Amino acid sequence: MTTWTCSLRRPPVSGTPKTEHRRALRQRLSANRTNSAIEYKHQNISAVMIELGLPYIRGYTPMGNRQEALAIEIQRRLQADPALLSRLQSKPTDALPASPLQRTEPPQRAAGNRERASAGNRPGRHPDYGLLQAENTNRGATGERLVVDYERTWLRGHGRGDLADRVRWTARDDGDGLGYDVLSYTIDGHERYIEVKTTALGALTPFYLSSAELQFARSHPQSYALYRVYAVDARPPRFFALQGNDILQLELIPVTYRACVPAENPNGQKTTNGLDH
């Protein structure tokens, strides 16, 4: 298992080509390991990395079938080598990408049964949702600007320059509490409410949805779209769109709590809902 997790060091960090990396790895493994078996195992590692809220291995689409032992070993390696964890993080840049957005099809994540322990019993590192939130926030404005430019260019390209001039960056101009970031239009003039989620990582990297965003999506199924901007630092940066039933079928995992300071009752004592020790 340790031989496999050495893959964390190579493709995602130093950019080693897949073929070269696979050839070097086969020399360290038993002779009966095929290229397809090595490919599959790397896809398993990518699946674990996504669960941990970390970049998955570039070029290896996450595969659902994997053993819990693999997750435990990856967690052990990350805890033993803090410098490795730091190297896995991508640093945001202030400059806008030099290339316009390129639209892609929504990715497909392979399904499969997984042998796994409950989250409470699993040792080591749990999904770093805070890291994901910070990564999304740092690059959010870049992704929103790219989407505004994309929508205006698309409308002008379809003969609706009048609508392109009305595309509005609402998150910047009106505040970030509307449930969407960009107001755009269809060719026939209907409003489109676009929520933008941005990452420098891969298309399958998880993202945050606030309760307000989710409620707005559910109440505007025909006019709401979620644009997932990914590889935002690449040339070109890319995105895929989710709308209607695609959004309703997202796997939603609650990860945070809203916490309030306890109030005082009329007797001057703080109420703690029976949680005093």
Side-chain angles (χ1 to χ4, degrees), residues 19-215:
T19 302
E20 178 184 337
H21 172 73
R22 185 168 57 238
R23 185 183 302 113
L25 190 58
R26 285 195 68 181
Q27 296 175 359
R28 303 178 58 182
L29 299 170
S30 59
N32 61 350
R33 290 284 187 178
T34 65
N35 285 336
S36 60
I38 294 175
E39 181 94 4
Y40 188 79
K41 182 64 72 172
H42 280 88
Q43 291 177 296
N44 295 159
I45 294 173
S46 284
V48 174
M49 297 296 281
I50 281 184
E51 290 183 9
L52 298 179
L54 292 169
Y56 56 91
I57 302 177
R58 284 179 288 186
Y60 292 99
T61 303
M63 183 66 68
N65 292 311
R66 55 86 170 162
Q67 294 180 322
E68 184 64 18
L70 180 60
I72 293 174
E73 175 62 19
I74 290 175
Q75 292 167 338
R76 186 190 69 78
R77 290 293 299 269
L78 290 171
Q79 290 176 328
D81 188 355
L84 172 60
L85 180 59
S86 176
R87 291 168 62 202
L88 287 172
Q89 314 311 323
S90 55
K91 303 298 188 292
T93 62
D94 295 330
L96 279 175
S99 304
L101 273 178
Q102 179 182 93
R103 184 165 183 169
T104 67
E105 291 297 316
Q108 298 294 321
R109 183 175 180 182
N113 297 321
R114 290 178 289 185
E115 169 201 325
R116 62 190 305 170
S118 65
N121 295 328
R122 181 185 298 167
R125 179 186 174 84
H126 297 291
D128 195 340
Y129 296 107
L131 174 63
L132 288 174
Q133 175 70 355
E135 204 271 342
N136 291 342
T137 300
N138 288 339
R139 290 185 167 86
T142 298
E144 291 166 10
R145 168 64 68 82
L146 287 169
V147 168
V148 168
D149 292 343
Y150 177 90
E151 288 295 298
R152 288 173 176 166
T153 300
W154 187 87
L155 285 167
R156 291 191 180 103
H158 287 77
R160 295 308 308 262
D162 58 324
L163 295 176
D165 293 338
R166 293 165 58 188
V167 171
R168 185 173 179 81
W169 187 352
T170 54
R172 182 195 65 182
D173 299 335
D174 302 325
D176 197 23
L178 297 176
Y180 61 96
D181 299 311
V182 176
L183 175 63
S184 188
Y185 298 89
T186 62
I187 292 178
D188 55 5
H190 290 101
E191 291 184 338
R192 295 185 73 232
Y193 307 106
I194 301 174
E195 175 65 29
V196 183
K197 298 295 181 182
T198 305
T199 182
L201 308 179
L204 287 169
T205 303
F207 55 88
Y208 268 81
L209 274 176
S210 70
S211 58
E213 292 164 352
L214 184 59
Q215 179 58 37

